[in-house]
Amino acid sequence: MSDYTQIANSDKSIPHNNSVKKETAISLIKYSIVGIVFGIVFVKAEIISWFRIQEMFKLQSFHMFGIIGTAVVVGALSVAVIKKFKIKTLQKETIVIVNKPFTKGHIYGGLLFGLGWAMTGACPGPLFAQIGAGIGSISIVIASALLGTWTYGYFKKKLPH
Amino acid sequence: MNEFIQTISAPWPWYVAGTLIGLTVPTLLIIGNKTFGISSNLRHLCAACFPANISFFKYDWKKESWNLFFIVGVILGAFIATHYLTNPELIKINPVLEQELAKVGITDFKNLLPKDLFSVEALFTLRGFILMVVGGFLVGFGTRYANGCTSGHSIMGLSNLQWPSLVATICFMLGGFIMTNFILPYILQLK
């Protein structure tokens, strides 16, 4: 497992990567540029459409399965290449992928999110993209999602994990 | 140039979209050692705006501000695509779905979302309220409880071959399948 001398897989509940140096506001803009491409893809491939999500869960269309499947294959090949060739970041740091340890929340939370995903027709990314696409009423859905996240934080210790 | 704009204005096929989304994983790793995941932004926004002394929201959210920059980009990208790369044709919906929705009075297929369900007016109908408010709550609560969403688990986690992310993804799909096929038909009748 010599890969892991270069690629440290760490388990932390807060997804922060402490090995990363602080960045300035200017250098953070590069993440906005990646976000812009992502937002364009969301709209142009109709991923933010409520109808596409209904078609997916009714098995009436291959579109969304094709997108998620291709994304996973391309992502997995990329991660494998990064590990194999020990590719560093542009700042010459070792690439660290922060993994998430399993809890029962993956099952309970996963099912609850699935219910909400089919209702709103959007996961968190598309919700923000819908705002950009000019569907202002989605701000109500986002406000409710924030309340949901806040409520989880409030009750976290009492929930089974 | 015009031809190029015309080509990218038509709906993008799944393999183009899937490839670009998959490439987000190595791009974020290489430009700044960042692990892809979008739902964390909901947590960062809670931590920034209403931490309320809850330990789950007591962390240095500013260290994660790259993700908020990312999401601002997503909003801008969606704006650009909607205004400058407009698809000249209507979104093509499976005719079976169209018929099923027409039976419950959803007949507006002009937009990405049905106006009959997602609009300020719809909020004051029972089904609109349930879909927007209860649905939104479940998205925010469920993603945090599962410690990730479609991007963090289904794309990033699966790309790094993490079995917990596979469990989460199966549960996302199962929840969605149950809602769409067994619960939503009843909700849509509540006008």
Side-chain angles (χ1 to χ4, degrees):
Chain A
M1 300 293 273
S2 60
D3 292 352
Y4 291 88
T5 56
Q6 288 289 316
I7 310 293
N9 282 287
S10 57
D11 285 345
K12 288 171 203 140
S13 83
I14 291 199
H16 184 67
N17 182 347
N18 285 310
S19 68
V20 178
K21 285 174 217 134
K22 226 179 163 218
E23 296 194 75
T24 61
I26 298 293
S27 86
L28 286 169
I29 287 175
K30 65 188 179 214
Y31 300 108
S32 299
I33 294 166
V34 182
I36 287 173
V37 176
F38 209 75
I40 293 175
V41 175
F42 269 168
V43 173
K44 290 318 300 173
E46 297 170 345
I47 297 165
I48 67 168
S49 165
W50 185 84
F51 300 108
R52 288 280 168 272
I53 303 302
Q54 302 307 314
E55 286 173 351
M56 167 173 71
F57 288 131
K58 283 174 178 272
L59 309 178
Q60 291 172 338
S61 157
F62 173 74
H63 188 72
M64 287 302 305
F65 292 105
I67 289 174
I68 297 173
T70 313
V72 171
V73 170
V74 171
L77 285 175
S78 308
V79 170
V81 167
I82 286 175
K83 286 184 178 182
K84 173 88 183 155
F85 297 101
K86 301 181 172 61
I87 294 172
K88 301 243 171 184
T89 67
L90 295 181
Q91 300 81 15
K92 306 283 175 226
E93 291 168 15
T94 298
I95 288 180
V96 180
I97 299 175
V98 185
N99 287 324
K100 299 168 174 175
F102 181 74
T103 72
K104 281 182 219 140
H106 282 64
I107 297 170
Y108 304 135
L111 287 169
L112 291 172
F113 163 53
L115 297 174
W117 184 13
M119 290 165 85
T120 61
C123 32
L127 282 180
F128 289 100
Q130 287 169 347
I131 294 286
I135 310 163
S137 60
I138 296 305
S139 51
I140 300 161
V141 183
I142 293 183
S144 198
L146 283 170
L147 181 66
T149 295
W150 191 90
T151 307
Y152 169 75
Y154 189 83
F155 289 109
K156 183 177 188 241
K157 288 183 185 130
K158 293 186 179 138
L159 295 166
H161 279 89
Chain B
M1 185 66 192
N2 268 341
E3 207 171 310
F4 174 73
I5 296 283
Q6 261 173 20
T7 307
I8 63 169
S9 294
W12 294 7
W14 55 269
Y15 45 89
V16 173
T19 304
L20 288 170
I21 291 175
L23 287 175
T24 308
V25 170
T27 307
L28 290 175
L29 286 172
I30 289 170
I31 66 172
N33 228 341
K34 300 292 187 260
T35 311
F36 180 48
I38 293 181
S39 65
S40 304
N41 284 305
L42 296 172
R43 182 180 181 185
H44 303 331
L45 288 171
C46 284
C49 304
F50 345 89
N53 218 19
I54 297 168
S55 61
F56 188 65
F57 299 122
K58 278 198 269 183
Y59 62 93
D60 189 3
W61 61 270
K62 285 184 189 137
K63 276 189 178 170
E64 310 298 331
S65 53
W66 73 271
N67 214 335
L68 297 168
F69 275 79
F70 179 81
I71 212 70
V72 168
V74 171
I75 296 171
L76 283 174
F79 178 87
I80 293 167
T82 306
H83 290 83
Y84 303 106
L85 304 170
T86 318
N87 176 16
E89 287 169 47
L90 289 179
I91 160 169
K92 287 190 189 73
I93 301 165
N94 187 311
V96 180
L97 180 64
E98 253 187 51
Q99 279 172 12
E100 287 168 350
L101 292 174
K103 276 186 207 151
V104 286
I106 297 162
T107 48
D108 179 3
F109 303 116
K110 282 200 261 335
N111 302 291
L112 290 164
L113 286 95
K115 275 220 171 89
D116 307 297
L117 299 175
F118 297 92
S119 60
V120 177
E121 298 80 52
L123 184 64
F124 296 98
T125 63
L126 188 51
R127 64 183 185 182
F129 181 86
I130 293 173
L131 293 189
M132 293 174 83
V133 177
V134 180
F137 186 91
L138 286 171
V139 168
F141 187 91
T143 50
R144 216 60 273 127
Y145 197 176
N147 198 10
C149 63
T150 336
S151 55
H153 280 309
S154 311
I155 310 286
M156 184 66 234
L158 291 186
S159 291
N160 199 29
L161 313 178
Q162 294 298 300
W163 68 266
S165 290
L166 181 62
V167 174
T169 301
I170 291 169
C171 291
F172 299 164
M173 290 291 175
L174 189 61
F177 186 80
I178 292 170
M179 173 54 69
T180 299
N181 293 285
F182 303 113
I183 307 176
L184 201 64
Y186 296 99
I187 297 176
L188 291 179
Q189 286 172 17
L190 305 170
K191 282 181 222 172

